């Protein structure tokens, strides 16, 4: 009847409308480093898109924003293909989402997927470093996950990123992924400097890091106090790869890469909750801004077994903290580039 036929049309229209809003936001966020809506608003649109697609699976086409990572790259930079796809993370906004994630992992692994590694979700921008025979030969942004922007000269200026790996057992080739960020203090100072010369400040540390790294002139990047923390690997060749996420961090640290020590390997959901609760209370202890906690299955064999969806690993989940007042207020002011 008319009502049954009318509902999909309305759903299709709403879906198209939300998809357009999300694409526009992606472009402003990833390409211009200058978002005009809050992350909470954006996450709301994405949630509604996913619900619509759940109800009407024909709306879930490969070009839907729910199926894609990031955004196409800027023409300001050369394009580089990642050796292994860079993914996003699925989000959990509450306890039920977290329980759902763990239950699904348990079902797919047909066993207890634990232990888990809990760590901080750094609000920076994702960058991949490629080391060949221990030398940093390339650095790229995530882009759409397959193709990123070549930012090698810029990343070479980031303090703490080794140009050469150290140690006896250096892999022939390794892709290392991590987050480039501006420490909160550096962000404050940069915004003061920008405002002193009459330029608009950045909305938040994430945008200031992305805007600082993605400069045509790497000398500008060199003046910004950027840092990096690594939290994953892609392709790994020519040395025995680590068997757990936590061992991988020890290994990466041994190679001279900057790794966070704010992580904990836990066995149970209760302990995951405890970690999330602790950093909810101590959100400003780290020198960088965090927007949540990432929970990863620690064992690489189980990670492989769980695999990935079209855009995110099933073996990890990002628990997002609710947005803070100050960030929302800052977002109301004009955003700098
Ligand atoms: P995401 O930021 O939610 O999560 C994925 C990213 O987290 C990874 O790429 C990785 O680099 C990073 N990350 C940080 N710490 C990590 C750790 N310890 N381990 C693993 N990964 C870690 O996803 P996304 O796809 O980059 O972006 C989507 C989010 O970006 C949205 O939820 C929204 O908050 C924001 N966004 C906002 C707008 C806007 O207009 N305001 C537009 C687009 C996206």
């Amino acid at each position: 009847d008319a009502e049954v036929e009318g509902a999909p049309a309305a759903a299709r229209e709403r879906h198209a409308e939300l998809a357009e809003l999300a694409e526009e936001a992606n472009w402003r966020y990833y390409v211009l480093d200058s978002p005009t809506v809050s992350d909470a608003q954006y996450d709301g649109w994405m949630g509604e898109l996913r619900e619509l697609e759940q109800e009407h699976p024909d709306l879930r086409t490969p070009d839907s924003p729910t199926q894609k990572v990031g955004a196409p790259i800027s023409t300001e930079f050369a394009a580089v293909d990642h050796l292994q796809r860079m993914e996003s993370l699925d989000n959990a906004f509450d306890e039920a989402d977290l329980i759902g994630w763990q239950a699904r992992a348990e079902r797919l692994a047909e066993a207890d997927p634990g232990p888990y590694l809990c760590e901080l979700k750094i609000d920076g921008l994702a960058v991949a470093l490629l080391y060949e025979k221990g030398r940093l030969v390339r650095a790229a942004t995530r882009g759409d996950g397959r193709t990123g922007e070549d930012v090698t000269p810029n990343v070479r200026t980031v303090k703490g990123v080794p140009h050469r790996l150290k140690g006896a057992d250096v892999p022939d080739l390794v892709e290392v992924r991590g987050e480039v960020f501006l420490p909160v203090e550096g962000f404050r100072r940069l915004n003061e400097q920008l405002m002193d010369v009459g330029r608009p400040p950045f909305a938040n540390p994430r945008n200031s890091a992305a805007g600082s790294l993605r400069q045509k002139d790497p000398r500008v990047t060199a003046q910004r106090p950027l840092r990096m923390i690594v939290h994953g690997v892609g392709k790994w060749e020519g040395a025995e790869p680590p068997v757990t996420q936590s061992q991988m961090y020890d290994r990466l640290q041994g190679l001279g890469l900057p790794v966070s020590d704010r992580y904990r390997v836990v066995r149970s959901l209760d302990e995951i909750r405890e970690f999330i609760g602790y950093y909810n209370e101590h959100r400003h202890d780290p020198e960088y801004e965090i927007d949540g906690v990432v929970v990863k299955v620690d064992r690489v064999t189980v990670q492989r077994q769980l695999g990935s969806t079209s855009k995110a690993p099933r073996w990890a989940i990002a628990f997002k903290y609710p947005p803070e007042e100050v960030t929302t207020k800052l977002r109301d002011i004009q955003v700098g580039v």
Side-chain angles (χ1 to χ4, degrees):
D1 63 75
E3 210 150 284
V4 173
E5 276 169 22
R12 221 178 0 261
E13 229 166 81
R14 180 65 182 150
H15 187 275
E17 187 185 350
L18 288 165
E20 202 179 311
L21 287 168
E23 293 291 359
E24 163 91 11
N26 281 343
W27 179 68
R28 292 186 181 280
Y29 185 89
Y30 293 111
V31 181
L32 303 183
D33 299 322
S34 180
T36 46
V37 296
S38 70
D39 288 354
Q41 168 82 77
Y42 175 88
D43 289 339
W45 291 339
M46 293 298 283
E48 200 182 333
L49 272 172
R50 270 189 293 271
E51 271 169 31
L52 282 168
E53 293 176 2
Q54 187 97 43
E55 268 172 62
H56 311 286
D58 60 307
L59 294 175
R60 194 184 292 124
T61 55
D63 66 338
S64 164
T66 65
Q67 305 300 300
K68 292 189 293 189
V69 170
I73 60 172
S74 159
T75 50
E76 299 248 320
F77 300 91
V80 284
D81 290 336
H82 301 298
L83 303 183
Q84 239 176 56
R85 192 159 66 103
M86 286 180 83
E87 303 181 295
S88 178
L89 287 169
D90 283 338
N91 291 324
F93 294 100
D94 55 30
E95 176 126 6
D97 291 345
L98 194 64
I99 293 172
W101 168 75
Q102 199 228 19
R104 182 170 74 157
E106 185 152 359
R107 202 170 58 240
L108 293 172
E110 293 174 344
D112 178 1
Y116 307 96
L117 182 138
C118 302
E119 63 187 332
L120 301 181
K121 184 162 187 295
I122 303 163
D123 205 7
L125 91 152
V127 166
L129 310 173
L130 180 64
Y131 288 92
E132 279 175 9
K133 304 251 178 269
R135 281 169 165 275
L136 176 65
V137 293
R138 197 176 84 189
T141 63
R142 189 180 59 173
D144 66 2
R146 293 182 192 282
T147 307
E149 300 158 322
D150 190 337
V151 286
T152 311
N154 310 60
V155 169
R156 281 184 195 283
T157 72
V158 176
K159 199 172 160 189
V161 174
H163 294 194
R164 256 175 189 280
L165 299 179
K166 62 176 193 188
D169 201 15
V170 173
D172 289 341
L173 179 150
V174 62
E175 248 180 341
V176 185
R177 279 81 182 271
E179 220 63 17
V180 168
F181 60 91
L182 258 189
V184 178
E185 200 36 51
F187 161 69
R188 279 209 199 101
R189 244 180 294 128
L190 174 60
N191 267 358
E192 274 168 23
Q193 286 165 6
L194 288 172
M195 288 191 283
D196 279 350
V197 295
R199 292 180 50 198
F202 286 105
N204 55 46
R206 193 264 165 208
N207 297 120
S208 69
S212 297
L213 188 75
R214 297 173 66 254
Q215 288 279 339
K216 274 233 80 127
D217 183 354
R219 283 172 303 183
V220 177
T221 304
Q223 288 163 10
R224 307 276 167 93
L226 292 165
R227 295 287 182 280
M228 182 169 186
I229 285 183
V230 304
H231 51 61
V233 296
K235 200 160 185 145
W236 177 293
E237 277 178 7
E240 201 53 46
V243 297
T244 64
Q245 191 76 19
S246 36
Q247 280 176 27
M248 183 182 1
Y249 291 162
D250 289 343
R251 193 67 209 286
L252 294 176
Q253 188 163 37
L255 293 170
L257 287 154
V259 175
S260 169
D261 55 8
R262 291 183 187 272
Y263 73 82
R264 202 185 301 156
V265 179
V266 304
R267 292 232 148 243
S268 68
L269 204 55
D270 271 347
E271 289 171 294
I272 295 177
R273 267 191 217 111
E274 205 179 292
F275 188 90
I276 291 173
Y278 179 85
Y279 276 104
N280 195 24
E281 297 290 312
H282 295 82
R283 203 157 157 184
H284 298 290
D285 282 7
E287 55 162 352
Y288 40 80
E289 186 126 310
I290 62 170
D291 63 342
V293 160
V294 185
V295 184
K296 297 172 177 173
V297 166
D298 197 38
R299 283 179 292 165
V300 173
T301 46
V302 185
Q303 293 180 359
R304 287 224 185 87
Q305 204 183 346
L306 294 175
S308 296
T309 63
S310 58
K311 64 183 281 189
R314 290 192 194 87
W315 49 267
I317 187 94
F319 185 94
K320 290 245 180 131
Y321 290 132
E324 286 182 311
E325 187 71 10
V326 57
T327 324
T328 325
K329 275 195 197 133
L330 271 171
R331 282 214 172 84
D332 293 338
I333 57 179
Q334 204 198 346
V335 183
V337 281

